[in-house]
Amino acid sequence: MSNGESTVGICKHVPNLLSSFVDTFLDYSVSGIFLPRYPNPNPNPVESSGDSSPETSYPEPERLVAIGDVHGDLEKSREAFRLAGLIDGSDRWIGGSTMVVQIGDVLDRGGDELRILYFLEKLKREAEKSGGKIVTMNGNHEIMNVEGDFRYVTEKGLEEFKVWSDWYCLGNTMKSLCRGLDKPKDLFDGIPRSFRGAREECFEGIRARIAAFRPEGPIATRFLSKNLTVAVVGDSVFVHGGLLAEHVEYGLERINEEVRDWIHGLKGRYAPGYCRGRNSVVWLRRFSEEMAHKCDCSALEHALSTIPGVKRMIMGHTIQEVGINGVCNNKAIRIDVGMSKGCTNGLPEVLEICKGSGLRILTSNPLYKEKPESHLASDGKTGLGLVLPAQHVPRQVEVKA
């Protein structure tokens, strides 16, 4: 082979290498994280649109941890993972083969939203290398952001995405200088420059956020399209708000597939109807009322009876000031403890389900801790039978000696 042919053979890889370098540079500049490589070339069927259906049902793992709403609070997110013994002090995965379900509402109310998305993505890849798995879900706030509803966005949240868009556009400029790469699409194509009712200093942040999250937007496609809207793990069904029998009849796999396709820009501007309104899967509160007698146990049991092998529904969305608890004979487990500083700054708690030994709440609440280093609950929170009804659980308040 001549020197000319050798040079051409080497140079043909330069555009892809440059593109990969620019993407890695952008990721680190925005998040401070170098994402590890995927353990396998096709890590998640939810990642790409097409004929393949998202994986909706999973067999019961040896250990399952469920984490509630984190709303833009990276430090509380880390605390929840550490509470369950899933990461070390350097945020590296040490959870082995544990399966984690994060119930949604990563977005809004805080300023670390993008950094949490990267944090979860890093842990997904690390967990898979160890035989573990992390399932992330859509909450109502993910749906709202893809629709462009920013009512609960903070100024820090706008600034975080303005910084991201600056780096993203710089990366696109670098890529456009390389012959052999397609010209990048204008990030802000079709997005207005001003917004009625918003302060002028917020315009750039709003534009960046729309660009990031709109259907087919780079952040929506990269991160949110991997989310499930409903997940069945062993004998538990996970959903952010709640499921009614009509949702099950419509099809859980169908719901996941249609929401994924909508985020990829294949289904129009607005989310499917079952993600909008008070009785939708991400907004429902009929099983989440603080007082047990206000919960619609009949509708819950009807929905559960239509999903073979499922005994309980686990949901977030509605803050439980008393901590994780169960109603309707523990067929409804509510795990949103409002841990974000943008909510009620609740004490982190997570739900643990171990194969053959039932459910347990792991809590940082000093009312329950036996040993400071154990993070394991005592009394009513040692196991669920275990989960005490909401009205009988001490309120989530910090006790000062």
Side-chain angles (χ1 to χ4, degrees):
M1 183 169 59
S2 67
N3 287 340
E5 290 174 333
S6 177
T7 302
V8 170
I10 294 172
C11 290
K12 72 178 182 180
H13 299 295
V14 168
N16 289 334
L17 289 172
L18 175 66
S19 180
S20 178
F21 169 78
V22 169
D23 290 341
T24 301
F25 175 72
L26 167 66
D27 288 344
Y28 185 78
S29 299
V30 170
S31 68
I33 290 175
F34 283 117
L35 291 174
R37 288 180 177 272
Y38 282 112
N40 60 67
N42 185 25
N44 194 333
V46 181
E47 249 187 290
S48 59
S49 59
D51 295 332
S52 60
S53 297
E55 192 172 0
T56 297
S57 298
Y58 301 86
E60 182 183 8
E62 290 295 325
R63 183 179 188 238
L64 172 64
V65 171
I67 298 175
D69 309 30
V70 295
H71 279 304
D73 192 328
L74 179 59
E75 189 50 46
K76 288 293 187 73
S77 301
R78 287 168 169 156
E79 286 181 31
F81 274 84
R82 289 184 186 131
L83 187 59
L86 298 171
I87 61 173
D88 63 15
S90 299
D91 293 346
R92 289 186 294 256
W93 177 263
I94 56 171
S97 61
T98 301
M99 183 174 185
V100 177
V101 177
Q102 197 284 317
I103 205 78
D105 275 10
V106 164
L107 302 181
D108 290 342
R109 302 188 188 275
D112 301 328
E113 300 153 279
L114 195 51
R115 285 187 289 172
I116 296 174
L117 291 174
Y118 273 99
F119 169 72
L120 292 172
E121 177 62 27
K122 179 184 84 76
L123 292 181
K124 282 183 179 182
R125 301 184 188 189
E126 292 177 349
E128 191 166 334
K129 288 181 179 180
S130 301
K133 188 169 188 64
I134 297 178
V135 173
T136 51
M137 301 192 70
N138 289 312
N140 59 306
H141 287 266
E142 280 71 38
I143 301 300
M144 290 168 69
N145 274 268
V146 178
E147 289 188 329
D149 184 343
F150 300 154
R151 281 176 289 170
Y152 299 96
V153 175
T154 65
E155 288 190 25
K156 287 184 177 180
L158 291 178
E159 180 61 26
E160 186 183 33
F161 279 84
K162 182 182 180 301
V163 170
W164 164 80
S165 69
D166 290 343
W167 283 111
Y168 189 88
C169 290
L170 176 61
N172 278 353
T173 300
M174 295 171 67
K175 291 179 183 180
S176 68
L177 298 175
C178 180
R179 187 177 301 169
L181 289 177
D182 294 336
K183 184 178 179 180
K185 181 181 177 181
D186 178 9
L187 180 66
F188 296 105
D189 182 41
I191 299 177
R193 294 185 176 275
S194 62
F195 303 90
R196 183 184 300 177
R199 301 195 308 272
E200 185 175 352
E201 60 267 28
C202 295
F203 287 173
E204 290 307 307
I206 294 171
R207 296 186 78 225
R209 200 169 178 105
I210 292 172
F213 283 122
R214 62 180 169 177
E216 206 179 1
I219 296 300
T221 301
R222 182 175 184 184
F223 295 110
L224 303 190
S225 69
K226 299 177 184 179
N227 291 352
L228 296 177
T229 305
V230 186
V232 177
V233 184
D235 57 5
S236 301
V237 59
F238 291 83
V239 62
H240 184 72
L243 284 176
L244 299 174
E246 64 195 61
H247 301 135
V248 181
E249 183 179 348
Y250 186 80
L252 305 186
E253 293 83 1
R254 185 179 177 186
I255 287 173
N256 283 332
E257 186 173 344
E258 289 180 353
V259 173
R260 176 204 61 185
D261 289 348
W262 168 63
I263 292 172
H264 273 288
L266 304 176
K267 296 284 187 179
R269 177 181 175 185
Y270 295 106
Y274 47 74
C275 285
R276 312 183 84 223
R278 63 187 299 177
N279 285 325
S280 71
V281 297
V282 294
W283 283 98
L284 191 72
R285 299 187 193 272
R286 287 166 67 174
F287 317 135
S288 300
E289 293 285 349
E290 185 175 1
M291 301 306 292
H293 71 272
K294 293 184 178 180
C295 294
D296 191 344
C297 295
S298 176
L300 172 70
E301 291 179 8
H302 186 197
L304 290 176
S305 69
T306 60
I307 310 174
V310 167
K311 297 179 180 178
R312 69 185 69 85
M313 191 178 298
I314 299 174
M315 65 210 79
H317 185 46
T318 303
I319 295 173
Q320 306 294 311
E321 292 187 350
V322 297
I324 293 174
N325 65 83
V327 294
C328 302
N329 294 319
N330 288 331
K331 292 180 180 178
I333 310 297
R334 296 91 66 84
I335 66 170
D336 177 10
V337 296
M339 70 177 83
S340 168
K341 289 185 287 291
C343 294
T344 60
N345 200 21
L347 300 169
E349 290 191 348
V350 302
L351 181 70
E352 178 188 66
I353 306 177
C354 290
K355 195 172 186 178
S357 58
L359 287 70
R360 181 170 64 168
I361 300 168
L362 309 185
T363 182
S364 58
N365 191 333
L367 289 171
Y368 292 104
K369 288 196 299 183
E370 295 175 328
K371 299 178 182 178
E373 69 274 12
S374 75
H375 298 298
L376 299 183
S378 61
D379 190 25
K381 296 204 173 189
T382 49
L384 234 77
L386 299 170
V387 170
L388 295 177
Q391 59 265 42
H392 296 140
V393 182
R395 185 181 175 85
Q396 281 264 64
V397 292
E398 185 129 16
V399 177
K400 297 186 182 298

